[in-house]
Amino acid sequence: MAVDEMGGDCSSSGAQELHVLAVDDSLVDRKVIERLLKISCCKVTAVESGSRALQYLGLDGERSSVEFDELKVNLIMTDYSMPGMTGFELLKKIKGSSRLREIPVVIMSSENVLARIDRCLEEGAEEFLVKPVKLSDVERLRDFILRGEDKNKTEITRKRKTCDDSFFATLGIFTIIPQM
Amino acid sequence: MQRQLANMKQSLFDQGYLDEQFIQLEELQDDTNPNFVEEVVTLYYRDSVRLIQNIENALDKNPLDFAKLDSHMHQFKGSSSSIGARKVKIECTQFREYCRAGNGEGCKRTFQQVKKEYATLKKKLEAYFQFARQAGPVEKACRPK
């Protein structure tokens, strides 16, 4: 894994560059998400598993907090279905850490399962993206995180992103989802 | 030659081999990364060898472990979806349905279809990228009509 610099025309207006940690066991998906993020002027570190992600974040107890500050991560994007530690388990570990819980975590999944989405949002995920992730998703996320970084703590609205937004329109009311 | 290239691409979409995701990938191509799509597709084909082998091995077992089959196929379907391999993805979905139904024969039959579509697309994309290299640099991604 490597921290890569951005390329192209990202140097305008002194905009802050976000550092995103991308976690996905798929080689193909890592390559794509890396490109999406670089085009959106983000620094990317891509790793292939939850345990590598925790290692990188210093949650395995091996890295000192001084080192960690130099590699400040502004956003974590993780696949849901991964062998070993799932994205959901990684999310729980991050939100369970006093040092890391403020870092927004976004879950990505090819499976558009309502119960899964809700479970992730309940556990503190910022957003749930259905794969394949688009450039517009990443740009929207980036802008959202940048605004959050600028502001002082304000309540962040949770979003659901599914393939079929009209599903919620037809529902009209909030449904109570049983705890999984 | 650009015209012929555009026609080749149009035909791949018209015949349903590729979907919108392929166009999304093309839009990530620029002067700094002029061969991005070909790189991703090459990576897909290289990585898929392993994923397909996993499924083959799992299909050889007796009795079949449908959960494992489904899990392997989920991975392969995900990659296929990421490059816009529409027909491959459709067969993968069918395969997963047979897994959930515990239908071993259905799985085996469908897997032959998966491999067939996979091989067909590979040939077509190889031809497309080879032609693209001859035709010269692509200015901008063109959306098929």
Side-chain angles (χ1 to χ4, degrees):
Chain A
M1 62 186 181
V3 179
D4 288 302
E5 293 299 331
M6 60 180 179
D9 48 4
C10 289
S11 45
S12 56
S13 67
Q16 185 191 340
E17 196 186 45
L18 296 181
H19 178 202
V20 182
L21 177 64
V23 192
D24 200 318
D25 62 309
S26 160
L27 215 53
V28 172
D29 288 354
R30 275 203 306 281
K31 187 170 171 77
V32 175
I33 197 77
E34 222 171 338
R35 182 78 187 129
L36 286 172
L37 287 165
K38 283 185 188 173
I39 280 196
S40 305
C41 303
C42 297
K43 276 210 283 272
V44 191
T45 301
V47 299
E48 77 266 20
S49 70
S51 43
R52 296 288 274 140
L54 291 178
Q55 236 182 344
Y56 185 81
L57 293 164
L59 256 190
D60 61 350
E62 301 220 356
R63 189 173 291 174
S64 74
S65 57
V66 172
E67 264 185 272
F68 170 70
D69 286 340
E70 289 170 358
L71 297 154
K72 181 167 153 65
V73 169
N74 304 112
L75 168 66
I76 297 166
M77 296 182 74
T78 178
D79 189 27
Y80 183 92
S81 310
M82 296 187 290
M85 193 188 303
T86 66
F88 181 67
E89 287 159 354
L90 176 62
L91 167 68
K92 282 202 288 195
K93 287 212 152 63
I94 291 166
K95 293 303 168 184
S97 153
S98 52
R99 186 163 55 83
L100 299 173
R101 72 161 65 104
E102 293 307 316
I103 305 178
V105 180
V106 168
I107 309 282
M108 306 177 283
S109 175
S110 54
E111 287 169 320
N112 187 9
V113 177
L114 192 55
R116 176 181 292 187
I117 297 171
D118 279 336
R119 200 189 320 150
C120 291
L121 296 179
E122 298 280 308
E123 201 61 41
E126 206 56 52
E127 188 151 346
F128 188 101
L129 296 178
V130 178
K131 282 175 146 184
V133 175
K134 297 181 164 59
L135 185 58
S136 53
D137 294 326
V138 174
E139 287 172 336
R140 185 169 48 79
L141 247 187
R142 175 205 60 200
D143 293 343
F144 178 74
I145 302 292
L146 281 174
R147 281 200 301 276
E149 291 282 318
D150 289 342
K151 273 190 197 145
N152 256 322
K153 299 308 160 189
T154 40
E155 208 12 83
I156 297 170
T157 318
R158 281 170 183 184
K159 294 185 184 79
R160 269 201 191 104
K161 185 182 190 294
T162 65
C163 281
D164 185 10
D165 287 322
S166 64
F167 172 73
F168 295 102
T170 6
L171 266 189
I173 48 161
F174 285 106
T175 35
I176 312 289
I177 311 288
Q179 284 295 327
M180 290 261 134
Chain B
M1 259 194 131
Q2 290 287 356
R3 160 60 99 202
Q4 273 176 282
L5 188 66
N7 287 341
M8 267 183 105
K9 184 162 61 169
Q10 184 66 51
S11 138
L12 284 171
F13 281 95
D14 289 344
Q15 291 172 50
Y17 286 104
L18 295 176
D19 65 27
E20 167 73 24
Q21 177 59 15
F22 192 84
I23 301 187
Q24 289 282 325
L25 292 183
E26 286 192 313
E27 289 182 349
L28 303 183
Q29 232 162 223
D30 62 17
D31 291 336
T32 65
N33 283 260
N35 303 306
F36 178 70
V37 187
E38 188 176 359
E39 285 168 18
V40 178
V41 171
T42 304
L43 190 62
Y44 164 73
Y45 279 108
R46 217 180 293 151
D47 197 46
S48 294
V49 173
R50 176 182 59 93
L51 298 177
I52 287 176
Q53 192 58 58
N54 287 343
I55 299 170
E56 299 267 25
N57 294 343
L59 280 173
D60 272 339
K61 299 262 189 295
N62 196 3
L64 292 176
D65 181 344
F66 288 107
K68 199 164 216 156
L69 276 169
D70 189 56
S71 164
H72 285 318
M73 184 49 88
H74 170 75
Q75 282 191 290
F76 179 66
K77 183 185 166 190
S79 298
S80 305
S81 168
S82 293
I83 68 154
R86 184 178 164 274
K87 287 196 185 193
V88 176
K89 194 169 79 160
I90 287 171
E91 297 300 335
C92 290
T93 302
Q94 183 63 71
F95 182 96
R96 294 191 76 192
E97 276 172 28
Y98 280 126
C99 281
R100 281 166 198 162
N103 183 340
E105 283 314 305
C107 284
K108 289 176 179 167
R109 230 177 21 244
T110 309
F111 190 56
Q112 297 311 310
Q113 284 302 112
V114 170
K115 286 192 290 185
K116 180 166 159 282
E117 291 300 341
Y118 170 85
T120 302
L121 181 64
K122 184 166 193 230
K123 271 216 195 71
K124 289 185 183 283
L125 285 177
E126 272 166 2
Y128 174 75
F129 287 124
Q130 192 170 41
F131 199 79
R133 264 178 262 127
Q134 290 165 11
V138 180
E139 268 88 62
K140 192 141 195 347
C142 307
R143 287 188 171 271
K145 284 143 252 166

